[in-house]
Each structure stands twice: as C-alpha cells, then as structure tokens.
Amino acid sequence: MKISEGDVEYVAKLAMLEVADGEKKELAEQLSRIVEYVEKLNELDVRGIEPTSQVVTSVKHAVRDDRVAPRTGSSDAARTVKLFKVPKVITER
Amino acid sequence: MIHPYEAVIGLECHAQLLTKSKLFCSCSTKFGDPPNANTCPVCLGLPGALPVLNRVAVTMAVKAAIGLNCTINPESQWARKNYFYPDLPKGYQISQYDRPLGHHGFIEIKLEGKQKRIGVQRVHMEEDAGKSLHEGFPDSNRSTYLDFNRSGVPLIEIVSDPDIRSSAQAYDYLARLKQILEYLDVCDGNMDEGSLRCDANVSVRKFGDQKLGTRTELKNINSFRFVQKAIDYEVHRQIEVIESGGQVVQETRLWNSVEERTVSMRSKEEAHDYRYFPDPDLPLLVVDSEWIKTIQRSMPELPESRRERFEKEYALSEYDAGVLTTTRALADFFEETAKLSGHAKTAANWIMGDLLRFYKDNNVDLKDLSGSRVTPRMLAGMISLVDKGTISGKIAKTVMEEMYKSGKDPLQIIEEKGLLQISNTAEIEKIVNQVLEENPKPVEQYRLGKTGNFGFFVGQVMKATGGRANPQTVNEILKKRLAG
C-alpha cells in the first residue's frame, strides 16, 4: 500500500503534528515501506486464529469494588492547582 | 394536502451510572465538589497510570442493557476513541466500538393508543470527559479552565435505530428510557445536571423513499422541553432547504434555546476520524451467564409490565395505571396502599387526586417518597375508616389534608378534631326536623311535587353537622319526613 503525501498531511493533522512541506515526501516513502512490511502478513493463512488485542490473555477481567479511596500521590497537583488552565478553546467540539 | 415529507430520527443518549467511584479509578463521582477534588493520576491521564474496571459499573450497564431488551455480548471490548480536546487528558476516551456490551434491543413507545417498537442498536460503556469552563474568569477571553471531577465517571451510551418518525415519538422514547433507567436505579435521569444527555440525528425524505436523506446531528438539547422543539425546528428547516432547491449539509448543529433555533457549529473543519483501536491496557470484558443470571434475579419489575399488571390485577384504566407507575416509588406506594386497604380503586383515586396534588404543590420528587408524611399504612387506614362508615368521604378529604400537614394517624385526627361521622338515627332525625322547620317554603314546594330541591335539604343537614352526618341515613330520613 502506497502512502501519499496527502495521507501524511491527514495523519499529521489528526495527531496535531506540524510537518514541513519538505518532509512530506520522505515521510510518505518511509511510512509506505513500514505498511508494506506489515502487509507481508497478508501472505499467511490466518483462518481460525483469534485476533490479539491484548498481550495478557490469561486475565479475563480484573475488576475492583465500587469504593471511593482516598487520593494518593500526584492528586496533590489537584489540591494546589484547583483548576487547570489552557489556551482558549475557540471551537466547540 | 398530505405532507410529502417524513422525518427520520435516531437518538444517542448518554446516561451517567450511579456508582460511588469512577469507571477506572477509585475517585468519587460526587457532583458539586470543589474543582479537581476528585482526581488522581488515572483520571488526569498521567503517564503510566493504569485503569482498573469498576465491577458495579458493569453490573449497572448490564442491567440497563437487559432492561432495554438487548442481547448481552459475552465478550465485549474496550476501545480507544482518539481525539484532541483539553477536557480529554489522555487524548483518547476509553469506550467500546465494534464489540459493545449490548445490542439489538428495543423500547416500546405508545402514542395516541398506537404502540411502536423503537430499536436500540447498541448499549455500550464509556468514560466521561472533564468539564471545560469557558466563561466567568478575568482572562476568559484568552483561557479556558478545566475541572476533571467528571473525567472518568461511568456512562452508558444508548443508540437508537433511525425508527423515530416525529418529535413526539422522540419525546416518548426519551421519557420511557429515562423511566426504565430510573426504575433500575442505574441513573438518576436528571437532564438539568447532565446525568442524562441526548443528541439527535435528524433527516427528512419524501414519503415512500427508501433512501435516507442527509442527516444533521443536533447537540445541546439537554432538556426534555427542548427535544421536541429542536427536532421540530430542524425538520422544518431541512424541508425548507430542500423545497427551495438546496441540499442539506451533513453537519453538527447546536440548539440555541434562547433563539429557539438550531445553528451550525462552525467548528474548524474537523475530521471525524477517531481511529478506534482495542485498548491494550484493558482485557476483554467478559460477562458470563452466571453474572447475567445474578443480575437478572436482581431486576425489578419494569414500568411497562408493571403498568399492564396494574390494569389487570387492580382493574385500573390504562391512564390510571400509567400515572401510578410514573416512578417505582409511587407504584410501590400505591401497591402497598391497595394491599393494606383491600380497595385498589379507592386507593388509586386518593393517590391520583389529593396526594399527587399535595406532592406537586410541595415539589416532592416522586422518585423518593420515603420522606412522605402520608404513608401507605395511614392512607389505607383512612380508606377503611370511610369503608366502615366512621367518617364520610367528604370528611376524609379534610383528614387527608391534615395527614399530609401533620403526619398524624387518621384516627387521631378524627378524635382530635371531632370528625366522627354521625350515624345515630335519633341524632340525625333531630337535625332533619330542625332543618325542615327552618325552611317551610322549600318543604311546601317539595310536597307539591317539586322534588328537585331534595339536594337543598341534604346540603342544609350537612351544613348543620359540619359534613359529619352519614349521607345515606340523611337521605333515608329526609325522604321519609318530607313525604309527610
């Protein structure tokens, strides 16, 4: 699969990365090579093999009780900060 | 002329689950605490922090999914929904995507006697984002402030099929969804505080068309009053666009409740590409049949079947059964009163008439009647006092009001206020005689055949006894004495 410069722009935008015009061609080529490498998997017959999304498969679900625990560690940040401040969000999501 | 267009509507609702702690960490979910008081590395999205699932949140979500007639996926999966917004500290929301917790359910709605089944496409779990504060600070023109108390609070998203055809249907769907969630005790259904939120996908098409029109997504319709208005406005707007030769643009629109119209959300061209992928931090969510069975056993009777049962078991009208099952607490109140008094219909009348009016006048939340001064036992006691003839129905109204005001037992009220019914024939005869003596003219008229003024005499006797005379006895004696 060929990754175009347009794809690079699109992905960069989604990832909020700035990519200089001069870099796009090079990145497109590199990304193409990576995807092509993964495409090797298409040569294998994977029928009947469960997709792996997690590396730990022995744990079905680790759950906890619905109990409120006292805050620890870096929640100190919250105690001193009170509110977090970011540059004005102009657009509504 | 037949309106040539029909609306096609689907609702996406978010319901906040009533857990004590958040979905993936042990921070409190309490509403109204100081900003960021309930945060930790997990819900602040600090590097290295790992989520651990809240079991009760899953139980509640399963309950809701079952209540909405969904099939439960024995294995569902957590997925990351990626987007950048300051209220989302991790840069992704933990949600569910291609393997949601529940799917293929439905809600039965009923409008003007017509029943309709609205499909529930899916019910999935996800975490809430934080809250952005855009206004109210000296530098609000330059800065946005963030409170992450809500970040990580457990939600379920309930997505309907595009089966809804009018704003009235949308309203009914939402009302029933809210009622089911409240019955199940999984969400408080409070739209003002945001514990139940709703977006609507709206499109129009010519009747008979199979293809769906271009849809817009309506946001910010977070009040029951607005759901109907916003949809009506939007349907009308889309028809006008099409009729004037234009095309509906697929976009997100915000409901402006002040101007009562929807406005295009002129956000920067934002790709709706969330690049979902399975969350590697969380194993598959396995809900085995044992767990489902345990949850099923704990399910209360839901509004729909309770309504039907009330109609059959207590011979109530559909309307009465509907009112009495508005909330679980009210339905419990009625049922207990009916059982204790043995007079279901009478109990229904007292509750729907006087009691509900008192509650309304005093802004009592019908979801919680534990603090009601009138208890089912008191009301049942009063009903049987009327039944036994101890008090008249008219006096009962006074007793009812007094019970509501003071919380006193009906018998105590009757004794204290001297409201006992007079059934003693001799005593009533005395009063009847007195009334007849004082009103010679009407008596003469009656005896000349103008018997239509009989009620006048009854009224006079009642007045003389402060409404305490047994009406049947009064009637009998009056008839006899007036006959001459």
Side-chain angles (χ1 to χ4, degrees), chain A residues 54 64-66 82 88, chain B residues 21-22 25 36 55 282:
Chain A
Q54 282 84 11
R64 57 176 185 82
D65 290 334
D66 182 27
K82 293 200 170 66
K88 181 82 178 167
Chain B
S21 66
K22 293 185 179 180
C25 61
N36 293 305
R55 181 164 37 81
L282 289 155

Side-chain angles (χ1 to χ4, degrees), chain B residues 124-135:
Chain B
H124 74 245
M125 300 183 72
E126 62 187 27
E127 55 176 354
D128 207 346
K131 195 176 174 198
S132 309
L133 307 163
H134 299 287
E135 311 286 337

Side-chain angles (χ1 to χ4, degrees), chain B residues 244 321 329 390 415 464:
Chain B
S244 61
T390 314
E415 276 165 14

Side-chain angles (χ1 to χ4, degrees), chain A residues 64-71, chain B residues 20-29 38-40 42-43 50 52 54 152:
Chain A
R64 57 176 185 82
D65 290 334
D66 182 27
R67 265 206 301 267
V68 176
R71 296 164 299 155
Chain B
K20 295 185 194 75
S21 66
K22 293 185 179 180
L23 185 53
F24 295 115
C25 61
S26 302
C27 290
S28 169
T29 55
N38 304 320
T39 55
C40 77
V42 173
C43 54
L50 287 170
V52 185
N54 181 337

